[in-house]
Amino acid sequence: MSDLAPIIVDASAREEALDISRSICVTAPAGSGKTELLTQRILKLLAVVDQPEQILAITFTRKAAAEMRERLLGALQLGLQAEEPSVPHKRLTWQLARAVLNKNDSEQWHLLDNTGRLRLQTIDSLCQSIASDLPVMSQLGAKLKPVDDPSVLYQQAVDGFFAGLDSDPNVSEVLGQLLLHVDNNVDRLYKLFINMLPLRDQWLKHAAGFENQEATRSALEQTLTRWIEQELTSASALMLSLSIESDLCACADFAGSQLQSMPAENAASAIGELAGIKGLPAPSLEQHGQWSAIVELLCTKEGKPRKRVDKRQGFPAKTAAKDKEQQAVFEQRKKAMQSLLAEIQTQPELLSRFRNCFFTAYYWISERALGNSRAAYHLSCSSLRAFSFGVWS
């Protein structure tokens, strides 16, 4: 039996990945040789640069960086061997390593004695080195080190921000207004600021670029609209999968019709808009009236699942019926609604999506709140901008 070299089905892709004149993205399963391919690419780059520090390889964890360094040094050790390996991929690594060693000797790099010249770092380490090299520009000083749990630093940053409020009356005034927006609950605002810091990549650019207020507000409204409509789409799909659309619409139509015949109750409720409903509304803000009414029908003002309904939600007591026939209809519809509510209580995902849309962001963007939201938005962005600069300065 003759020895046959294994066929490498992705040989052309591997060869393409070693083209250092191009940027390459490699996607492959575990154990397929990605690390060795990366090692070969680094070797090929080292053979053409003036200094080894010109090549930077970054990864997420210290363990991965250490493994990468070990593999690269192992490849250079392989290149010291006089005999060419017989295995094809090892032979290629050997050939590339020999080229690097020749460059190492001619340029007096001393890589094997000074392995620190090989820049194989974590992302945190890279950021630390950049900030340390620019202590004045970064305004962070030179003594920096990454931490695994930054929560203590977030608390210190917010403490420093609050401690410096007296020195800037403009910020103090805006923050005072923001406190009113959270019912003067300082502890709540303190925690909100701390919770915002891990997400600063999402909002800092908006707060720092607050000069164009209308454009920023428009961008945020568009993002909020997309998010709400995604939540409504998911909620609608879930309701269809539970096969409750028909029962919900029948109960909603009944409740809406009853409330329209009761002016006092109808004036205090949006459920009257559901009269005549035949199917779930489209998951868009144009249908905010009916969606708001559905949520009011299914949930309390606190966003909790409703356990019972009465005439305020369009389900009069049977004693309010004009005759036995209407009494039977009242009982039947109320029983159907109670059954539907029991089903809804077993669906935390559906309730969560309703709460996300209507008990946090939805009121902010609805037509009836545009006047208040404009002031709240400008107020919030002013505070965020002051907060962001106060924390990092």
Side-chain angles (χ1 to χ4, degrees):
M1 180 180 295
S2 60
D3 293 332
L4 297 177
I7 298 175
I8 302 178
V9 295
D10 60 350
S12 60
R14 291 173 182 269
E15 183 178 352
E16 185 178 2
L18 294 178
D19 181 1
I20 58 174
S21 66
R22 301 171 53 196
S23 296
I24 298 292
C25 176
V26 177
T27 303
S32 59
K34 293 189 299 297
T35 304
E36 181 163 21
L37 185 64
L38 180 58
T39 301
Q40 292 172 345
R41 187 173 172 89
I42 293 175
L43 289 171
K44 201 165 185 179
L45 287 165
L46 285 171
V48 299
V49 296
D50 296 327
Q51 298 294 333
E53 290 85 359
Q54 291 177 262
I55 307 302
L56 171 65
I58 56 176
T59 184
F60 288 100
T61 65
R62 289 187 289 268
K63 180 180 179 182
E67 180 185 355
M68 190 69 245
R69 180 178 298 276
E70 182 180 347
R71 295 291 288 270
L72 188 56
L73 292 175
L76 292 175
Q77 291 291 340
L78 178 66
L80 293 175
Q81 299 179 11
E83 186 177 348
E84 185 178 280
S86 58
V87 181
H89 66 90
K90 290 292 185 182
R91 186 187 308 125
L92 176 59
T93 301
W94 178 82
Q95 293 170 348
L96 295 173
R98 297 281 285 188
V100 174
L101 291 172
N102 289 335
K103 183 84 171 184
N104 176 69
D105 293 340
S106 64
E107 299 294 333
Q108 300 290 305
W109 285 350
H110 306 292
L111 282 180
L112 295 177
D113 297 323
N114 189 7
T115 59
R117 301 193 69 181
L118 297 172
R119 298 187 64 191
L120 306 169
Q121 301 174 256
T122 63
I123 296 175
D124 288 344
S125 176
L126 173 63
C127 294
Q128 178 186 356
S129 64
I130 293 174
S132 297
D133 290 342
L134 303 169
V136 177
M137 184 177 293
S138 68
Q139 300 182 15
L140 296 173
K143 296 181 179 180
L144 302 171
K145 65 177 181 179
V147 295
D148 294 326
D149 181 11
S151 58
V152 175
L153 298 180
Y154 294 154
Q155 293 178 20
Q156 292 176 0
V158 178
D159 288 340
F161 170 65
F162 277 102
L165 289 178
D166 293 338
S167 61
D168 192 337
N170 293 326
V171 175
S172 299
E173 180 181 355
V174 172
L175 194 64
Q177 297 177 51
L178 188 56
L179 275 169
L180 293 177
H181 190 65
V182 293
D183 297 327
N184 211 34
N185 190 330
V186 177
D187 186 57
R188 180 186 174 196
L189 185 61
Y190 179 84
K191 291 178 180 178
L192 284 173
F193 277 151
I194 290 177
N195 292 336
M196 285 170 57
L197 282 177
L199 306 174
R200 59 192 179 277
D201 60 308
Q202 299 178 23
W203 57 261
L204 188 56
K205 61 181 180 181
H206 299 292
F210 187 60
E211 286 74 13
N212 189 349
Q213 299 178 5
E214 290 303 319
T216 304
R217 179 178 187 273
S218 176
L220 291 176
E221 278 192 350
Q222 291 176 16
T223 300
L224 184 57
T225 298
R226 287 196 301 270
W227 175 71
I228 290 175
E229 291 185 346
Q230 288 173 1
E231 291 291 303
L232 288 177
T233 298
S234 298
S236 181
L238 182 56
M239 294 171 80
L240 291 173
S241 70
L242 296 172
S243 301
I244 61 175
E245 179 186 19
S246 178
D247 292 341
L248 173 62
C249 290
C251 292
D253 178 27
F254 173 80
S257 300
Q258 290 299 313
L259 281 174
Q260 287 189 355
S261 67
M262 296 183 290
E265 284 76 8
N266 190 41
S269 174
I271 297 176
E273 294 192 32
L274 297 176
I277 188 172
K278 302 298 181 184
L280 292 177
S284 67
L285 283 184
E286 284 72 20
Q287 301 296 326
H288 66 80
Q290 286 197 331
W291 277 113
S292 181
I294 288 175
V295 175
E296 183 180 342
L297 181 64
L298 301 176
C299 302
T300 65
K301 291 181 179 180
E302 292 75 28
K304 297 179 180 179
R306 214 178 271 285
K307 296 181 179 180
R308 61 185 64 86
V309 288
D310 54 34
K311 68 176 183 178
R312 293 170 296 179
Q313 291 81 44
F315 292 87
K318 61 181 180 179
T319 55
K322 297 177 182 179
D323 50 43
K324 290 186 178 180
E325 183 178 352
Q326 190 179 54
Q327 186 181 59
V329 172
F330 283 6
E331 286 185 304
Q332 180 185 10
R333 289 303 185 192
K334 195 167 187 177
K335 184 177 180 181
M337 188 63 202
Q338 292 293 158
S339 177
L340 181 62
L341 291 175
E343 174 70 13
I344 294 296
Q345 290 182 44
T346 66
Q347 301 298 326
E349 181 183 352
L350 180 61
L351 292 168
S352 174
R353 294 193 183 280
F354 280 148
R355 278 194 294 269
N356 286 344
C357 293
F358 295 94
F359 296 100
T360 53
Y362 180 78
Y363 180 80
W364 182 85
I365 204 171
S366 64
E367 289 297 325
R368 59 182 174 173
L370 277 180
N372 292 334
S373 68
R374 180 179 295 272
Y377 168 76
H378 292 321
L379 167 64
S380 299
C381 276
S382 297
S383 297
L384 286 177
R385 181 177 59 171
F387 168 63
S388 62
F389 287 115
V391 165
W392 302 117
S393 60

